[in-house]
Amino acid sequence: MTYDIAIAGGGIVGLSTALALTSKFPHARIVLIEKEDEFALHQTGRNSGVIHSGIYYKPGSYKAFFCRTGNATMVRFCQEHGIPYDVCGKVIVAANVEELPALHRLHVRAQENGLEVHKLTPEQLKEREPHVHCVSALVLPSTGITSFKQVSLTYARLATERGATLLRGAQVLSIKTTGGATQVLETTKGAIETKFLVNCCGLHSDRVARMSGADPQVRIVPFRGEYYELKPDKRYLVKHLIYPVPNPAFPFLGVHFTRMIDGSIHAGPNAVLAFKREGYTKTSFDLKDTTETFTYGGFWSLAAKHAAYGWSEMVRSWSRNAFLRSLQRLIPEVQAEDIEPSNAGVRAQALMPDGGLVDDFLFVEGPKSLHVCNAPSPAATSSIPIGESIAERVEKALA
């Protein structure tokens, strides 16, 4: 099978890229390959479904630009294709006076990114979220929720209608760069020859990059995010989306309450090291994945710098009461009997050799290839402009 462009990875970024490429190259032979039997099973299918506003991201960064553009385009896409969504808004809560400076910095950051943001007194917040405790809060009206799994399947349908070939159950085993103008991807469904490869493999993006001869200069380290869920008779405690002031040293937003598009209320996530790149339970283990993490100097540098934080996250993972205390900082009424364990997700976090966490989208160019080596939140929100940007990069590379 010979194609002009191949995309590896059938999550939301890969599928959006396939859709954008069919518009940019309407006569090209385009194929997307996904190792699972379904699309969007991993990071996409296990996220919280939040259409982010873009408040957290450094002005001028990929995240800031793509998220602000993506927020509006995602809402329009849902409207055009009948996908359920709700622009319900989000509050970020300072639970004590020590968090007020960080909340103020977020307020400034929102204004720098051109977002609508309003400061709320505790009394004003009570009108919106009667059960939340705070000393001050911000509200972001443009934040919403949807089903990114449904969005992804719509991308897949539209890309197929425009002529792209989408293969499931096709895992990349090896990549050979020929002496000519093509690469050969050996997959579980046979060899695929392509003039250009776009790697959107998420949790395995660094491995696929190295297979093709590129050096991403990072390693993917998996962090599991665990959730609880409010029992149905306690869902009244949360009206919208409720977030704490995040720790600025980490690209994690802290344990928060999210109203899902199906009406359920999820509480989480924490962020603990996973011993398997697709390890969704505490006992999940893969020798290769774990060995790669523990033999990477960047991991030990990270662990040395943030041992206390890592330990607190592990305690919160194993202790229901510790997790509950994090929730009670936002909603004191929540009790242990009000929550039950829910599905977990795994974040593909790119880690640099010095232990630094890559805090923006990372695109790496390789021989006849482009590799998306870090695409954490808000990648789902930003998937349409990310796909369009990748299509433009491919066009330049093929020119």
Side-chain angles (χ1 to χ4, degrees):
M1 295 180 284
T2 303
Y3 295 90
D4 297 304
I5 306 169
I7 304 126
I12 196 167
V13 172
L15 291 165
S16 174
T17 297
L19 183 59
L21 286 169
T22 60
S23 295
K24 181 70 71 174
F25 304 97
H27 303 297
R29 294 162 297 171
I30 297 170
V31 63
L32 179 144
I33 55 177
E34 163 58 42
K35 71 183 179 68
E36 305 291 358
D37 293 329
E38 296 180 37
F39 296 122
L41 277 187
H42 294 291
Q43 292 186 102
T44 302
R46 289 175 172 267
N47 72 20
S48 59
V50 175
I51 305 173
H52 289 285
S53 63
I55 184 174
Y56 303 106
Y57 314 123
K58 182 179 178 180
S61 65
Y62 285 129
K63 281 187 175 183
F65 173 74
F66 286 142
C67 190
R68 183 179 178 189
T69 305
N71 177 282
T73 55
M74 182 57 64
V75 169
R76 285 199 300 271
F77 187 85
C78 291
Q79 292 171 339
E80 291 169 4
H81 297 282
I83 300 171
Y85 75 98
D86 182 8
V87 183
C88 56
K90 155 183 170 176
V91 294
I92 301 175
V93 174
N96 53 55
V97 294
E98 287 77 16
E99 293 179 341
L100 289 177
L103 187 72
H104 175 71
R105 288 192 292 271
L106 283 176
H107 194 182
V108 173
R109 174 63 56 84
Q111 294 171 326
E112 290 173 340
N113 285 333
L115 305 178
E116 181 183 358
V117 59
H118 306 286
K119 189 174 181 180
L120 301 179
T121 65
E123 294 73 26
Q124 290 170 325
L125 180 62
K126 289 290 183 185
E127 297 176 6
R128 187 180 185 89
E129 292 287 356
H131 305 279
V132 174
H133 164 77
C134 80
V135 295
S136 186
L138 301 177
V139 59
L140 282 300
S142 62
T143 305
I145 52 175
T146 189
S147 166
F148 287 124
K149 179 68 175 286
Q150 194 167 342
V151 170
S152 299
L153 295 180
T154 305
Y155 290 165
R157 175 178 59 81
L158 294 172
T160 301
E161 290 173 356
R162 295 180 186 179
T165 300
L166 274 56
L167 298 178
R168 290 171 289 185
Q171 182 175 354
V172 177
L173 303 174
S174 65
I175 301 173
K176 298 176 183 177
T177 302
T178 68
T182 62
Q183 293 192 84
V184 178
L185 283 64
E186 295 292 343
T187 80
T188 49
K189 285 198 171 179
I192 293 175
E193 189 171 349
T194 182
K195 296 177 183 176
F196 197 89
L197 169 66
V198 181
N199 165 18
C200 300
C201 289
L203 285 155
H204 303 280
S205 57
D206 59 334
R207 291 173 175 168
V208 172
R210 291 187 176 94
M211 277 186 198
S212 76
D215 181 9
Q217 299 185 349
V218 297
R219 181 165 295 178
I220 296 298
V221 175
F223 286 89
R224 187 173 60 255
E226 297 160 332
Y227 286 87
Y228 282 85
E229 186 175 346
L230 285 183
K231 293 180 178 179
D233 63 340
K234 293 294 181 177
R235 290 176 181 173
Y236 69 89
L237 292 173
V238 177
K239 307 299 182 186
H240 305 91
L241 309 178
I242 305 167
Y243 283 64
V245 175
N247 184 335
F250 297 93
F252 310 116
L253 300 182
V255 171
H256 50 270
F257 290 93
T258 304
R259 180 162 63 85
M260 310 291 279
I261 198 65
D262 64 2
S264 62
I265 306 293
H266 285 210
N270 56 4
V272 294
L273 179 68
F275 297 106
K276 184 178 180 180
R277 292 202 182 192
E278 294 165 4
Y280 300 112
T281 67
K282 292 181 176 65
T283 57
S284 296
F285 177 81
D286 181 90
L287 181 59
K288 178 183 178 182
D289 293 348
T290 303
T291 300
E292 285 191 1
T293 295
F294 286 126
T295 56
Y296 184 49
F299 168 73
W300 292 108
S301 296
L302 174 72
K305 286 186 287 189
H306 302 294
Y309 180 88
W311 175 251
S312 68
E313 290 295 280
M314 289 179 64
V315 169
R316 191 155 50 182
S317 173
W318 287 97
S319 170
R320 185 188 186 103
N321 286 334
F323 204 107
L324 177 65
R325 286 194 293 272
S326 298
L327 302 178
Q328 288 174 330
R329 293 186 74 248
L330 300 175
I331 301 182
E333 293 174 53
V334 176
Q335 301 300 314
E337 61 270 19
D338 299 335
I339 59 175
E340 54 191 358
S342 188
N343 293 332
V346 175
R347 174 190 179 120
Q349 177 61 55
L351 185 61
M352 294 181 285
D354 64 358
L357 295 165
V358 179
D359 194 29
D360 205 354
F361 300 126
L362 177 63
F363 303 95
V364 177
E365 295 181 0
K368 308 181 187 72
S369 59
L370 177 67
H371 306 272
V372 185
C373 289
N374 198 54
S377 179
T381 299
S382 311
S383 55
I384 292 175
I386 289 175
E388 292 171 346
S389 176
I390 290 172
E392 290 173 0
R393 288 169 181 261
V394 173
E395 183 179 42
K396 290 178 182 178
L398 293 176

